[in-house]
């Protein structure tokens, strides 16, 4: 999420910059004003708590003086008890207002990077570059789609589906809320409940290894010598795909369980855009090695998820559909996730003292490296070329839940 102080001009913030970023996303600019109003309301509520606390402290001093003089202090003790009851009620109100404020802040997206094409229509995604093997002819129509090729080689069964063969992975709601966009909870994430009266034990099946990896260093203060931290996360992933009904429904392009290898990096802010370029280059090198024609696309501002400041998709060419489809997403989330997860870096000295400066958070980046799906007890590498050599028909057999 964004830093609260970025919204407050008197604290050096620039709400107009946030509004411009929201406009580029096609998101609500009024939300920024709502957050500023909620902050003012929250601050006033906290002021009431502090004032009551000051009154209690003053009474405590008077009580001490009376006791020292061996005088009766029952009236003051009664006032103190009443004020403590009032303070507790005011603290609950203030806490509720802070919680409401934090929820609102999480609805605001990350700052859109200046190089991101501005549009709310993905038809306007900017093609950054394309690559194809020698002899590739996009005008040549292929006779079979990838799901038809898979059917003919017994690699796909649309009736029975596939039995899961690896254990699931979980995150609790608090951690998931810090790394996943709230809209994902209903459209994408599977909810696992023990039932009964303890909702705090509820879990969510992960949709990508990025989610648990981003939480791995939660509440840590990293040293510069530790950065960058690079992970190749391998996990089973689960997605409801509730918002994708009817899109790419055939074959194994869009399924509910799959395996994925994910690049995930925590780094110094000054280095994150270099890592961004390196991560997409790793993915490009892999798909070149498979001989798959692809293009790298810069996603328009209005299609970015809240966490991403910028996102590149690597799209491979599907000859049957004669169109490119996403295989890889590479995102720089900057400090959007790490601020909520409290993943800081640098020296601790002075960072916890009021007025000593802002906390410094690492940048977080993620990119898909390889997608697989469990099939009949073995892993099928989906980012490969499915071939029907008998009829000399080829098609790209890929899966894109990245």
């Amino acid at each position: 999420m964004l830093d609260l102080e970025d919204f407050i001009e008197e604290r050096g913030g620039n709400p107009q910059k946030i509004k411009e970023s929201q406009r580029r996303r096609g998101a609500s600019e009024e939300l920024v004003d709502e957050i500023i109003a909620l902050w003012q309301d929250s601050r006033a509520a906290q002021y009431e708590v502090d004032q009551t606390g000051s009154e209690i402290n003053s009474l405590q001093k008077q009580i001490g003086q009376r006791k020292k003089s061996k005088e009766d202090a029952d009236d003051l003790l009664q006032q103190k008890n009443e004020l403590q009851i009032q303070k507790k009620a005011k603290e609950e109100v203030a806490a509720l207002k802070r919680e409401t404020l934090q929820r609102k802040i999480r609805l605001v997206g990350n700052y859109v990077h200046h190089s991101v094409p501005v549009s709310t229509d993905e038809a306007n995604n900017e093609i950054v570059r394309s690559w194809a093997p020698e002899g590739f002819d996009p005008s040549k129509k292929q006779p079979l789609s990838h799901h038809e090729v898979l059917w003919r080689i017994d690699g796909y069964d649309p009736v029975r589906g596939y039995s899961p063969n690896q254990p699931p992975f979980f995150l609790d709601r608090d951690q998931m809320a810090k790394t996943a966009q709230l809209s994902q909870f209903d459209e994408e994430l599977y909810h696992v409940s023990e039932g009964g009266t303890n909702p705090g034990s509820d879990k969510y099946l992960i949709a990508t290894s990025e989610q648990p990896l981003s939480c791995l260093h939660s509440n840590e203060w990293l040293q510069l010598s530790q950065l960058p931290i690079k992970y190749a996360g391998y996990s089973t992933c689960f997605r409801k795909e509730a918002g994708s009904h009817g899109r790419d429904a055939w074959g194994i392009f869009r399924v509910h369980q799959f395996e994925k290898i994910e690049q995930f990096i925590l780094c110094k802010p000054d280095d994150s855009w270099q890592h961004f370029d390196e991560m997409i280059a790793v993915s490009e090198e892999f798909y070149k090695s498979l001989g798959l024609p692809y293009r790298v696309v810069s996603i328009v501002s209005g299609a970015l998820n809240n966490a991403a400041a910028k996102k590149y998709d690597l799209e491979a060419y599907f000859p049957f559909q004669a169109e490119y489809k996403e295989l890889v997403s590479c995102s720089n989330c900057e400090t959007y996730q790490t601020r909520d997860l409290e993943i800081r870096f640098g020296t601790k000295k002075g960072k916890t003292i009021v007025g000593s400066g802002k906390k410094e958070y690492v940048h977080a980046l993620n990119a898909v490296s390889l997608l697989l799906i469990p099939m009949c007890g073995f892993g099928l590498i989906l980012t490969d070329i499915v071939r029907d050599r008998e009829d000399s028909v080829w098609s790209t057999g890929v899966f894109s839940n990245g």
Side-chain angles (χ1 to χ4, degrees), residues 14 45 51 74 152 223 237 251 278 299 319 356 392:
N14 187 349
Q51 286 296 100
D74 287 349
R152 293 171 71 171
Q223 298 302 309
C237 304
E278 291 172 353
I299 301 302
S356 64
S392 300

Side-chain angles (χ1 to χ4, degrees), residues 183-190 238-247 254-256 401:
S183 61
Q184 288 180 296
F185 278 67
D186 293 325
E187 289 193 3
E188 186 172 290
L189 301 177
Y190 284 103
F238 303 86
R239 299 190 185 180
K240 286 161 60 174
E241 297 292 350
S244 306
H245 182 71
R247 292 194 293 120
R254 195 173 297 281
V255 297
H256 298 290
N401 278 71

Side-chain angles (χ1 to χ4, degrees), residues 2 13 45 57 64 82 92 109 115 128 164 185 234 242 285 318 321 343 359 399:
L2 296 183
N57 291 337
E82 291 173 356
E92 290 174 355
S115 64
V128 179
F185 278 67
Y234 172 77
E285 182 180 356
F318 279 63
Q321 291 90 346
I343 309 176
K359 298 176 185 177
F399 168 59

